[in-house]
Amino acid sequence: MKKYILSCCSTADLSPEHFTKRGISYACFHYELNGQEYLDDLGKSMSFEYFYRAMAEGAETKTSQINVAEFIEYFEPFLQAGRDILHLCLSSGISGVMNSATTAKETLEEKYPDHKIYIVDSLAASSGFGLLMDKLADLRDEGMSVEDLYQWACDNRLRLNHWFFSTDLTFYVKGGRISKTSGMIGNMLNICPLLNVNHLGQLIPRHNIRTKRKVIHTIVDKMEECIEEGRDYSGKCYISQSACYADARLVADLIEERFPHLDGHVLINSIGTTIGAHTGPGTVAVFFWGKERVD
């Protein structure tokens, strides 16, 4: 069977070591901090601690997706080496990067007609995207062809569930996701919004939970509700967090207690700079395999 490259955007928010260990290549988004541009390179150029501290102190952030020329430059060496490519993009409900990747694919397949580039809209983000990539790496290692892996990704991506909450509404107000009035009242009343990613890959507010303690327990309840096997779940669970590791650890401990058959311990990652530029510090997200997202 012909070897192929398994690839994604850096917004899958796994560590560089994790990507290397699993044999997953990645292309980097860009972000700006106070007008200075950096690669979203998984914390290499700037530590996540520095990035979130700067945001908390009022730094201005801006993000930009990978453009067509960058995708061509990224993909072409793999094709020159004789490899096909399966690349998954950050959700189209969040970013237009899928369009750039598709245009690059069409351009390169004219130049390399004997090779294929498969582009998939992950309909996922952050370490949920990462959990999907980890499963695809498992299937690749078991011998699945690139054509079959492409189809599996398309057929199963909506089984990847995302639930997350924020304890700081500042950047949700700044990004226009909630009004200034709602944000002010929410912060005064210690309201923590609970959101998820819907079947279109969009971020949707679902509940307003009062107090951090309650939302931490509610997100674990949501996990149980969305898993077909309930407390017998034996898959993996990933968490990503933005400068609030202690909160993420509390959630992870509750998950490991409630789901004793998990595949390993809950893996806690950092929310990367592209996603984090919009959430700001104080966000915890939980990702797991469950019922298909239908709304």
Side-chain angles (χ1 to χ4, degrees), residues 40-62:
D40 177 8
D41 57 4
L42 313 175
K44 292 180 182 178
S45 299
M46 181 186 298
S47 72
F48 297 126
E49 292 80 5
Y50 182 93
F51 175 77
Y52 287 115
R53 184 167 64 250
M55 287 190 74
E57 292 171 354
E60 292 295 322
T61 58
K62 183 179 178 180

Short mmCIF file of all heavy atoms in Angstrom, two decimals, residues 40-62:
data_model
loop_
_atom_site.label_atom_id
_atom_site.label_comp_id
_atom_site.label_asym_id
_atom_site.label_seq_id
_atom_site.Cartn_x
_atom_site.Cartn_y
_atom_site.Cartn_z
N ASP A 40 1.53 30.47 14.85
CA ASP A 40 0.89 29.64 15.88
C ASP A 40 1.58 28.28 15.83
O ASP A 40 1.07 27.32 15.26
CB ASP A 40 -0.61 29.52 15.60
CG ASP A 40 -1.32 28.62 16.59
OD1 ASP A 40 -0.70 28.21 17.58
OD2 ASP A 40 -2.50 28.28 16.36
N ASP A 41 2.74 28.21 16.44
CA ASP A 41 3.61 27.03 16.33
C ASP A 41 3.65 26.24 17.63
O ASP A 41 4.69 25.71 18.02
CB ASP A 41 5.01 27.42 15.88
CG ASP A 41 5.68 28.45 16.79
OD1 ASP A 41 5.07 28.81 17.83
OD2 ASP A 41 6.78 28.89 16.47
N LEU A 42 2.51 26.18 18.31
CA LEU A 42 2.34 25.31 19.48
C LEU A 42 3.24 25.72 20.64
O LEU A 42 3.78 24.88 21.36
CB LEU A 42 2.59 23.85 19.09
CG LEU A 42 1.87 23.38 17.82
CD1 LEU A 42 2.28 21.96 17.47
CD2 LEU A 42 0.36 23.48 17.99
N GLY A 43 3.41 27.03 20.80
CA GLY A 43 4.15 27.54 21.94
C GLY A 43 5.65 27.65 21.75
O GLY A 43 6.36 28.00 22.71
N LYS A 44 6.16 27.39 20.55
CA LYS A 44 7.61 27.47 20.34
C LYS A 44 8.09 28.92 20.33
O LYS A 44 9.09 29.26 20.98
CB LYS A 44 7.99 26.79 19.03
CG LYS A 44 7.79 25.27 19.01
CD LYS A 44 8.20 24.71 17.65
CE LYS A 44 7.96 23.22 17.57
NZ LYS A 44 8.30 22.67 16.23
N SER A 45 7.42 29.78 19.56
CA SER A 45 7.86 31.18 19.44
C SER A 45 7.56 31.99 20.68
O SER A 45 8.29 32.92 21.02
CB SER A 45 7.19 31.84 18.23
OG SER A 45 7.52 31.19 17.03
N MET A 46 6.46 31.65 21.34
CA MET A 46 6.04 32.37 22.54
C MET A 46 5.35 31.39 23.47
O MET A 46 4.48 30.62 23.03
CB MET A 46 5.08 33.50 22.17
CG MET A 46 4.60 34.33 23.35
SD MET A 46 3.34 35.55 22.85
CE MET A 46 4.29 36.54 21.70
N SER A 47 5.72 31.41 24.72
CA SER A 47 5.09 30.48 25.66
C SER A 47 3.62 30.86 25.84
O SER A 47 3.24 32.03 25.74
CB SER A 47 5.81 30.52 27.01
OG SER A 47 5.53 31.73 27.69
N PHE A 48 2.81 29.86 26.13
CA PHE A 48 1.39 30.12 26.37
C PHE A 48 1.21 30.99 27.62
O PHE A 48 0.31 31.83 27.68
CB PHE A 48 0.62 28.80 26.53
CG PHE A 48 0.64 27.95 25.29
CD1 PHE A 48 1.07 26.63 25.35
CD2 PHE A 48 0.24 28.47 24.08
CE1 PHE A 48 1.08 25.85 24.21
CE2 PHE A 48 0.24 27.68 22.93
CZ PHE A 48 0.67 26.37 23.00
N GLU A 49 2.07 30.81 28.61
CA GLU A 49 1.99 31.60 29.82
C GLU A 49 2.16 33.09 29.51
O GLU A 49 1.39 33.94 29.99
CB GLU A 49 3.05 31.16 30.83
CG GLU A 49 2.85 29.77 31.41
CD GLU A 49 3.32 28.65 30.46
OE1 GLU A 49 3.89 28.96 29.39
OE2 GLU A 49 3.11 27.48 30.81
N TYR A 50 3.16 33.40 28.68
CA TYR A 50 3.40 34.80 28.31
C TYR A 50 2.24 35.35 27.50
O TYR A 50 1.78 36.48 27.73
CB TYR A 50 4.70 34.90 27.50
CG TYR A 50 5.06 36.32 27.11
CD1 TYR A 50 5.90 37.08 27.92
CD2 TYR A 50 4.55 36.90 25.95
CE1 TYR A 50 6.22 38.39 27.58
CE2 TYR A 50 4.86 38.21 25.60
CZ TYR A 50 5.70 38.94 26.42
OH TYR A 50 6.00 40.23 26.09
N PHE A 51 1.75 34.55 26.56
CA PHE A 51 0.66 34.98 25.68
C PHE A 51 -0.59 35.34 26.48
O PHE A 51 -1.17 36.42 26.32
CB PHE A 51 0.36 33.87 24.68
CG PHE A 51 -0.82 34.16 23.78
CD1 PHE A 51 -0.70 35.03 22.71
CD2 PHE A 51 -2.05 33.53 23.99
CE1 PHE A 51 -1.78 35.30 21.88
CE2 PHE A 51 -3.13 33.78 23.17
CZ PHE A 51 -2.99 34.67 22.10
N TYR A 52 -1.01 34.45 27.37
CA TYR A 52 -2.24 34.71 28.13
C TYR A 52 -2.05 35.80 29.17
O TYR A 52 -2.99 36.55 29.47
CB TYR A 52 -2.75 33.41 28.75
CG TYR A 52 -3.36 32.49 27.72
CD1 TYR A 52 -2.79 31.25 27.44
CD2 TYR A 52 -4.49 32.87 27.02
CE1 TYR A 52 -3.34 30.41 26.48
CE2 TYR A 52 -5.05 32.04 26.05
CZ TYR A 52 -4.47 30.82 25.79
OH TYR A 52 -5.02 30.00 24.84
N ARG A 53 -0.87 35.91 29.71
CA ARG A 53 -0.61 37.01 30.64
C ARG A 53 -0.71 38.35 29.92
O ARG A 53 -1.30 39.31 30.43
CB ARG A 53 0.77 36.85 31.29
CG ARG A 53 1.06 37.92 32.34
CD ARG A 53 2.27 37.58 33.18
NE ARG A 53 3.50 37.54 32.39
CZ ARG A 53 4.16 36.42 32.09
NH1 ARG A 53 3.73 35.25 32.54
NH2 ARG A 53 5.27 36.47 31.37
N ALA A 54 -0.17 38.40 28.70
CA ALA A 54 -0.25 39.62 27.91
C ALA A 54 -1.71 39.97 27.59
O ALA A 54 -2.11 41.15 27.66
CB ALA A 54 0.55 39.47 26.62
N MET A 55 -2.50 38.97 27.26
CA MET A 55 -3.92 39.23 26.98
C MET A 55 -4.61 39.78 28.23
O MET A 55 -5.40 40.73 28.16
CB MET A 55 -4.63 37.96 26.53
CG MET A 55 -4.28 37.50 25.13
SD MET A 55 -5.38 36.17 24.56
CE MET A 55 -6.90 37.09 24.22
N ALA A 56 -4.33 39.18 29.38
CA ALA A 56 -4.96 39.63 30.63
C ALA A 56 -4.57 41.07 30.96
O ALA A 56 -5.34 41.80 31.60
CB ALA A 56 -4.56 38.69 31.76
N GLU A 57 -3.39 41.47 30.49
CA GLU A 57 -2.91 42.83 30.75
C GLU A 57 -3.35 43.81 29.68
O GLU A 57 -2.95 44.98 29.71
CB GLU A 57 -1.38 42.81 30.88
CG GLU A 57 -0.90 42.07 32.13
CD GLU A 57 0.61 41.87 32.16
OE1 GLU A 57 1.27 42.21 31.15
OE2 GLU A 57 1.12 41.38 33.18
N GLY A 58 -4.17 43.34 28.71
CA GLY A 58 -4.75 44.26 27.73
C GLY A 58 -4.16 44.23 26.35
O GLY A 58 -4.50 45.07 25.50
N ALA A 59 -3.27 43.30 26.06
CA ALA A 59 -2.66 43.24 24.73
C ALA A 59 -3.72 42.99 23.66
O ALA A 59 -4.69 42.26 23.88
CB ALA A 59 -1.61 42.13 24.69
N GLU A 60 -3.53 43.57 22.49
CA GLU A 60 -4.43 43.36 21.35
C GLU A 60 -3.98 42.13 20.57
O GLU A 60 -2.78 41.94 20.32
CB GLU A 60 -4.42 44.59 20.44
CG GLU A 60 -5.04 45.82 21.06
CD GLU A 60 -6.53 45.64 21.34
OE1 GLU A 60 -7.21 45.00 20.52
OE2 GLU A 60 -7.00 46.16 22.38
N THR A 61 -4.93 41.30 20.19
CA THR A 61 -4.62 40.10 19.41
C THR A 61 -5.42 40.07 18.11
O THR A 61 -6.50 40.64 18.02
CB THR A 61 -4.95 38.82 20.21
OG1 THR A 61 -6.33 38.82 20.58
CG2 THR A 61 -4.09 38.72 21.46
N LYS A 62 -4.86 39.37 17.15
CA LYS A 62 -5.51 39.20 15.86
C LYS A 62 -4.99 37.90 15.27
O LYS A 62 -3.83 37.51 15.50
CB LYS A 62 -5.14 40.38 14.94
CG LYS A 62 -5.81 40.37 13.58
CD LYS A 62 -5.39 41.60 12.78
CE LYS A 62 -6.01 41.60 11.39
NZ LYS A 62 -5.59 42.78 10.60
#
